[in-house]
Amino acid sequence: MGKRQENTTKGGNPMRNDRTTGAGNQSTVPRDPAAETARGTHRADGGTVTVLVPAHNEAGAIVETLHSLGRQSRRPDRVIVIADNCTDATEQLALDQGAEVIRTLGNTDKKAGALNFALGGLLESADGDELILVQDADSQLAGDFIENAVRHLGADPTLGAVGGVFSGGPGGGFVGHLQRNEYARYARDVKRLHGRCLVVTGTAALFRVRTLRSVSLARTRGTLPAGNGHGGVYDTSVLTEDNELSFALLTLGYTILSPADCTLVTEVMPTWHELWAQRLRWKRGAVENCVQYGWTKVTRPYWGRQFLSMLGVLVTLAYVGSIAYAVESGAGVHLHAIWMAVTAVFVLERVVTVRLRGWKHMLLAATMYETVIDLFLQAVHAKAYADALFNKKKVW
């Protein structure tokens, strides 16, 4: 995976039972999912739960994240922090909280590479019914997240992953406020769809060991993209590993779910610059995942969303361009009935969809102040399409 790793460092973990075996420096041995199904029965309780927390210089958030795991109504059996190229106190803080720590040095494959390293050891010896929760180091789970996720996964043997529905954390000023509104709308949409989602969020997702093995095996056999030839569960060649893993699960015939009762809080980007970088990576990654998988029954809805997104960019450019031309030419801007009707519909949508945040935010949304982030995101989308089209070097 283009990296050097050090052996597991372990801490006494009050958040787990007396299991002390850590992940070693090993590669995943793919197993046949059909054989896995045959040798084990489907267990409603899901077996043991191991939490993997990939962390790169997360000293500011790791303690709170681990505290949220310690407060779970269904407490995890193991908590492993993957200290990936850390130069701050992340590793020591995790050990102080009782978590196990795996240290990677020289990992050039970011989060995907760190997770593949840890999973390479875990999947080797784990039972197919055991569960693995992958969680970002800057996200805190609601107290019943694991309990609810285990229940959902246990109720449906075809379910490949249970993801979370996230809200935005505090801070970030005006740009943070806009992201919290955006996440509230996302939560509303997922709830209305009864948990059906297009992507299992990387902020927190629960998987069966058996499922992750089937993904790794499919990459080895060439059924799924191999990720720079390294294989493993996560494709290390992409910008959005959670989006690609969702494609992989759906391609293998699994379903994915983000139930309304699996909630968490995640960090918001504190500046416009950081939000631009995040959303540009998300958008370009989503576009390139579509190209990577091609036109299939699985990817058709994703291609449809990209088509609508491109149409939105063109309409926005035309709208803004017509206003600029009218002002520049001296013709003035005239209010036509059709545009007034479109504006009224837009305002109504802004008000209704932010209802989860309360009536004050609903009244504020009616002022159309969020137009600023709508235009911002259209610019991000335009840049992502241009970068993908001209194959501009990826930077993360």
Side-chain angles (χ1 to χ4, degrees), residues 138 140 166-172 176-177 179-180 183 264-268:
D138 60 2
Q140 294 80 47
F166 50 87
S167 58
H177 164 79
Q179 290 169 81
R180 286 186 285 275
Y183 293 163
L264 67 145
V265 176
T266 193
E267 181 184 51
V268 297

Side-chain angles (χ1 to χ4, degrees), residues 13-276:
N13 189 354
M15 294 181 284
R16 63 182 175 89
N17 294 331
D18 292 333
R19 296 187 52 169
T20 57
T21 303
N25 188 3
Q26 304 155 333
S27 299
T28 304
V29 177
R31 305 192 182 188
D32 189 334
E36 288 282 358
T37 302
R39 79 178 179 84
T41 58
H42 178 62
R43 293 169 53 180
D45 66 0
T48 61
V49 176
T50 297
V51 181
L52 293 181
V53 185
H56 172 67
N57 290 344
E58 293 286 357
I62 193 65
V63 172
E64 187 177 0
T65 295
L66 294 176
H67 281 175
S68 79
L69 290 170
R71 293 191 295 265
Q72 291 296 301
S73 56
R74 197 303 188 189
R75 303 183 80 181
D77 300 275
R78 298 178 71 186
V79 176
I80 303 173
V81 173
I82 311 168
D84 183 35
N85 296 319
C86 290
T87 57
D88 65 0
T90 297
E91 182 177 339
Q92 188 57 54
L93 289 170
L95 289 171
D96 291 344
Q97 296 302 312
E100 298 178 51
V101 171
I102 297 175
R103 182 188 305 125
T104 72
L105 294 174
N107 171 29
T108 59
D109 291 326
K110 306 292 184 179
K111 177 182 175 182
L115 284 168
N116 279 347
F117 170 51
L119 288 167
L122 288 173
L123 299 185
E124 172 70 16
S125 58
D127 183 87
D129 282 316
E130 292 184 33
L131 305 177
I132 293 180
L133 174 68
V134 176
Q135 178 191 345
D136 280 352
D138 60 2
S139 301
Q140 294 80 47
L141 306 182
D144 56 357
F145 184 101
I146 293 179
E147 178 184 358
N148 292 335
V150 168
R151 186 184 71 256
H152 286 291
L153 202 60
D156 184 358
T158 68
L159 191 55
V162 175
V165 179
F166 50 87
S167 58
F174 181 57
V175 67
H177 164 79
L178 292 172
Q179 290 169 81
R180 286 186 285 275
N181 279 359
E182 185 182 15
Y183 293 163
R185 291 188 173 94
Y186 169 76
R188 175 183 180 272
D189 289 343
V190 171
K191 184 176 181 180
R192 293 177 67 211
L193 292 171
H194 305 289
R196 294 192 302 275
C197 59
L198 289 173
V199 176
V200 174
T201 172
T203 53
L206 185 70
F207 310 88
R208 295 185 188 88
V209 163
R210 179 184 299 111
T211 302
L212 297 181
R213 281 183 180 144
S214 70
V215 172
S216 182
L217 177 64
R219 295 201 195 282
T220 301
R221 291 177 171 175
T223 309
L224 295 174
N228 286 334
H230 299 316
V233 172
Y234 287 89
D235 185 345
T236 56
S237 68
V238 299
L239 289 171
T240 47
E241 71 287 328
D242 52 347
N243 192 77
E244 192 280 334
L245 184 57
S246 299
F247 276 34
L249 292 171
L250 294 170
T251 299
L252 294 178
Y254 294 102
T255 58
I256 56 178
L257 191 71
S258 291
D261 57 2
C262 291
T263 61
L264 67 145
V265 176
T266 193
E267 181 184 51
V268 297
M269 295 297 101
T271 67
W272 287 106
H273 176 75
E274 290 172 278
L275 182 62
W276 175 274

Side-chain angles (χ1 to χ4, degrees), residues 335-346:
L335 296 177
H336 297 285
I338 187 171
W339 288 116
M340 292 179 67
V342 169
T343 301
V345 171
F346 175 79

